[in-house]
Amino acid sequence: MYNKVIMMGRIVNDLELRSTPAGASVLSFRIAVDRRFQTKGEDRKSDFFNVVAWRNEAEFISRYFAKGRMILIEGELQNRSYQDKNGNTAYITEIIVDRSTFTGEKANNTQGTSSAYQSYPGNAAKNAAPEHPAQASNTAPTVSQGNNSDFTVESGDDDDYPF
């Protein structure tokens, strides 16, 4: 069986990191994902999804993301049920996060990336200066120009194909 979800959307509520009695970090939030199409004359519609992150992913998201920020998550769909206040059984579908990442969204500061993005250890290499300054230039490599005498025309039988 295969159960994989990849979504990119905006966090719609304030993030509150909680802990289970056993000490595991858990973070529940919702994301809004715009639909790909829009009916002419109407506003673009969004779908809202419940998301749950555990342990390191929960701590990462609560530290580097906030309400309104774009996030990309990978995980799996999971259904569960619980008893509501009236004693009725309620069913909920959630995305259980395996992995989350930044989307490349520009932050509202002069450097173009948020300080949280820059301070995340996985992004240190992206923010560092390149080892070889020549590789950082925006010029295309030069290509020597050739002429027709550099090419040979083979006349052969079309039956020489290996298939």
Side-chain angles (χ1 to χ4, degrees):
M1 304 296 160
Y2 192 73
N3 182 354
K4 181 82 169 178
V5 176
I6 301 172
M7 288 197 186
M8 184 170 72
R10 292 201 181 274
I11 299 172
V12 298
N13 58 305
D14 291 324
L15 300 177
E16 182 182 339
L17 185 65
R18 296 175 297 164
S19 294
T20 64
S25 300
V26 62
L27 181 66
S28 298
F29 59 99
R30 291 174 53 105
I31 61 171
V33 179
D34 289 340
R35 293 185 181 172
R36 292 187 309 163
F37 57 89
Q38 179 178 354
T39 305
K40 194 171 185 174
E42 291 183 10
D43 291 335
R44 183 175 295 273
K45 295 190 178 177
S46 298
D47 293 303
F48 295 83
F49 298 94
N50 298 313
V51 180
V52 178
W54 291 90
R55 297 174 186 79
N56 291 340
E57 282 302 317
E59 293 169 12
F60 171 76
I61 294 168
S62 70
R63 183 172 181 185
Y64 295 109
F65 292 90
K67 180 179 178 178
R69 289 285 314 266
M70 187 78 74
I71 188 170
L72 183 119
I73 58 170
E74 295 180 39
E76 61 183 40
L77 282 179
Q78 200 171 84
N79 295 315
R80 66 179 174 91
S81 61
Y82 64 93
Q83 296 294 320
D84 67 10
K85 296 175 186 175
N86 300 328
N88 299 322
T89 302
Y91 298 94
I92 189 168
T93 301
E94 300 168 319
I95 301 168
I96 308 301
V97 177
D98 291 329
R99 193 177 130 189
S100 58
T101 188
F102 298 102
T103 62
E105 171 186 48
K106 299 288 186 193
N108 294 331
N109 64 15
T110 56
Q111 294 179 340
T113 56
S114 70
S115 60
Y117 177 82
Q118 291 173 343
S119 64
Y120 177 62
N123 295 317
K126 295 177 187 175
N127 295 323
E131 271 185 50
H132 304 291
Q135 292 177 348
S137 70
N138 290 332
T139 59
T142 58
V143 179
S144 62
Q145 297 294 322
N147 59 39
N148 288 340
S149 65
D150 292 340
F151 299 96
T152 59
V153 177
E154 292 192 19
S155 60
D157 198 358
D158 287 342
D159 294 336
D160 290 342
Y161 294 123
F163 48 89

